[in-house]
Amino acid sequence: MNAPGNIEGGGGTKRFQAKRDAILAAAADAINEQSAKGMTFADVARRVGLNTTSVTYYFKRKEDLAAAAFEQTLERLDAMLDAALAEPTPEARVARYLNINMERLARIRRGEERDFAILSDLRAMEDPMKGQLLTGWRNIFRKTRSLWGAGANRAETDLFGARAHVLLENTFWLTAWLPRYEVDEYPRVEARLMDVFRSGIAAPGQDWTPGLLDLEHDEPEPGREAFLLAATRLINELGYRGASVQRIASELNVTKGSFYHHLDAKDELVIACYKRSFDIIADAQRLAESHEGSHWERLESTVATLLDYQFSERGPLLRTTALSGLPPRVRTTMIDRSNRIARRFAGMLSDGIAQGSIRAIDPLVASQALMALQNAAFDMRKWASTMPREKAVAFYASTLAFGLFDDRVLAAG
């Protein structure tokens, strides 16, 4: 899908291609900071030292530019996966794919390379571009799943799909927490994350026998819970800017005036959705910590409860992808809350390591892997709906509980 441009001749010249690449890199930066809907030609032009008319020479519409940036991301992911698939075993392929991502992020940190556009706004694009891009994303998912080979049966294919999704989401999530480390520490972080991927969190001899926590969360204002839930679903589907106030109101069959009865502005809506989601995760952590049993049993019950919530009609929790549409100050506040929740997971992991029910892993790294796991589960609701809920939760959680290469959950299922 080559984005159309108002071009006559010269399309193959090095100068033309270099300028087009610079525009795409600037567009990727703008998308990552403001979302695709928030990106403007004027901003992209400013970033590359051009005027707006010059940008329209290469891309007639903003949607064409966003689509080209997303297509470039898909092409780069495809090339990374091809390199990983050259390795002989599933473990070596996953290790190679992680290494490629870590080395890319190190080059970006050193200023040697530009980042590509995150894909959170794909569903907010317009057809036919949306359909083409989503087809490209499905191909990336299938290729990632093939890192484990071809499933011998439906259960194996389902498990490999869960592994693929968790691997992809963890590599996307790296940008949220890796900047807290010095770039020379990246190889150590890579090794510790790969250790979690390889062997999981649970200590040898631990099983998957979670008890779902009695998680109840009610907003004090009547009707507000349903309002925030509908908004969360739409924002997860369409991104912050794709989920308009009118669309949210229509989803609930209420007027825009009802929206402003609950909240004064759209930013307040996203903040309220995040607060609701973070409160639910924190509630699960608190409930687990007050229960009997080992620290592993408390952690597995927390993870199982949150995944069950994500796969159920009570869910979802708001995905972090909506952060790109928020003002920087608000975004920082939300990230700080996310980090506090991750630190609480790290505390649970540390207690389990001291007790012996959790492997001797890096709790800070593993806690971020858990954040990516529960954050992304919303996208697997359709997958989860094809099997009993308990089985879907076990398959998805096994990816980090026991690692990306442990098949014991197949025997249990």
Side-chain angles (χ1 to χ4, degrees), residues 328-366:
R329 177 185 57 80
V330 177
R331 190 185 317 164
T332 299
T333 301
M334 296 299 104
I335 290 174
D336 286 346
R337 180 78 192 277
S338 173
N339 288 336
R340 289 199 298 274
I341 289 172
R343 282 196 295 272
R344 192 162 191 163
F345 273 130
M348 297 170 78
L349 291 165
S350 297
D351 290 342
I353 293 167
Q355 181 190 61
S357 61
I358 288 175
R359 290 179 57 244
I361 53 177
D362 186 320
L364 294 175
V365 170

Side-chain angles (χ1 to χ4, degrees), residues 67-195:
F70 289 142
E71 185 184 37
Q72 188 177 71
T73 296
L74 293 169
E75 288 170 353
R76 292 179 68 181
L77 288 171
D78 191 65
M80 292 157 65
L81 286 164
D82 281 341
L85 282 164
E87 299 295 332
T89 65
E91 185 177 323
R93 292 168 198 150
V94 170
R96 179 68 180 128
Y97 184 68
L98 177 59
N99 174 257
I100 292 169
N101 275 279
M102 294 294 293
E103 290 187 344
R104 178 181 69 85
L105 292 170
R107 290 193 300 273
I108 292 169
R109 182 80 171 267
R110 292 192 295 262
E112 300 166 359
E113 185 177 318
R114 302 281 287 276
D115 202 358
F116 48 60
I118 57 176
L119 298 173
S120 56
D121 276 1
L122 280 192
R123 290 184 178 87
M125 297 293 288
E126 300 172 358
D127 282 323
M129 290 177 183
K130 174 182 174 180
Q132 292 173 299
L133 290 166
L134 287 176
T135 296
W137 167 246
R138 284 190 287 270
N139 289 337
I140 292 297
F141 177 81
R142 292 189 190 102
K143 185 170 281 193
T144 307
R145 188 174 63 192
S146 74
L147 295 176
W148 286 268
N153 49 52
R154 175 61 185 270
E156 266 200 2
T157 301
D158 283 337
L159 180 58
F160 294 172
R163 291 171 177 174
H165 195 252
V166 170
L167 175 62
L168 285 168
E169 289 298 329
N170 264 281
T171 50
F172 295 155
W173 184 244
L174 284 169
T175 56
W177 60 273
L178 200 55
R180 277 177 259 161
Y181 293 84
E182 297 292 340
V183 72
D184 65 324
E185 292 184 278
Y186 282 18
R188 181 176 64 84
V189 173
E190 177 187 335
R192 294 188 173 191
L193 183 55
M194 187 59 206
D195 178 51

Side-chain angles (χ1 to χ4, degrees), residues 29-293:
D29 289 343
I31 288 169
N32 293 348
E33 292 173 19
Q34 306 161 13
S35 81
K37 291 281 186 179
M39 177 189 69
T40 65
F41 268 159
D43 182 35
V44 172
R46 178 185 57 78
R47 291 170 188 258
V48 290
L50 296 173
N51 58 43
T52 303
T53 303
S54 297
V55 175
T56 60
Y57 176 77
Y58 295 85
F59 301 95
K60 287 195 294 185
R61 302 184 308 148
K62 186 179 79 167
E63 289 74 16
D64 298 331
L65 176 54
F70 289 142
E71 185 184 37
Q72 188 177 71
T73 296
L74 293 169
E75 288 170 353
R76 292 179 68 181
L77 288 171
D78 191 65
M80 292 157 65
L81 286 164
D82 281 341
L85 282 164
E87 299 295 332
T89 65
E91 185 177 323
R93 292 168 198 150
V94 170
R96 179 68 180 128
Y97 184 68
L98 177 59
N99 174 257
I100 292 169
N101 275 279
M102 294 294 293
E103 290 187 344
R104 178 181 69 85
L105 292 170
R107 290 193 300 273
I108 292 169
R109 182 80 171 267
R110 292 192 295 262
E112 300 166 359
E113 185 177 318
R114 302 281 287 276
D115 202 358
F116 48 60
I118 57 176
L119 298 173
S120 56
D121 276 1
L122 280 192
R123 290 184 178 87
M125 297 293 288
E126 300 172 358
D127 282 323
M129 290 177 183
K130 174 182 174 180
Q132 292 173 299
L133 290 166
L134 287 176
T135 296
W137 167 246
R138 284 190 287 270
N139 289 337
I140 292 297
F141 177 81
R142 292 189 190 102
K143 185 170 281 193
T144 307
R145 188 174 63 192
S146 74
L147 295 176
W148 286 268
N153 49 52
R154 175 61 185 270
E156 266 200 2
T157 301
D158 283 337
L159 180 58
F160 294 172
R163 291 171 177 174
H165 195 252
V166 170
L167 175 62
L168 285 168
E169 289 298 329
N170 264 281
T171 50
F172 295 155
W173 184 244
L174 284 169
T175 56
W177 60 273
L178 200 55
R180 277 177 259 161
Y181 293 84
E182 297 292 340
V183 72
D184 65 324
E185 292 184 278
Y186 282 18
R188 181 176 64 84
V189 173
E190 177 187 335
R192 294 188 173 191
L193 183 55
M194 187 59 206
D195 178 51
V196 174
F197 288 163
R198 181 183 296 110
S199 304
I201 290 171
Q206 302 299 316
D207 296 317
W208 178 256
T209 54
L212 293 185
L213 305 170
D214 187 14
L215 190 61
E216 292 186 7
H217 179 81
D218 294 312
E219 291 288 335
E221 182 183 334
R224 184 180 169 94
E225 176 72 12
F227 194 87
L228 294 180
L229 181 58
T232 297
R233 286 174 179 162
L234 277 174
I235 294 168
N236 279 358
E237 289 275 358
L238 303 174
Y240 169 72
R241 295 182 186 273
S244 66
V245 171
Q246 181 62 57
R247 194 156 189 171
I248 294 166
S250 297
E251 181 81 2
L252 283 169
N253 197 28
V254 299
T255 65
K256 287 176 69 174
S258 296
F259 171 93
Y260 294 111
H261 168 73
H262 287 285
L263 299 147
D264 293 332
K266 189 175 173 183
D267 284 352
E268 283 191 27
L269 170 65
V270 180
I271 292 167
C273 288
Y274 267 122
K275 184 178 184 303
R276 170 186 171 274
S277 296
F278 288 146
D279 286 349
I280 288 169
I281 300 171
D283 286 348
Q285 291 174 322
R286 276 193 296 271
L287 284 168
E289 288 167 352
S290 66
H291 272 229
E292 299 287 334

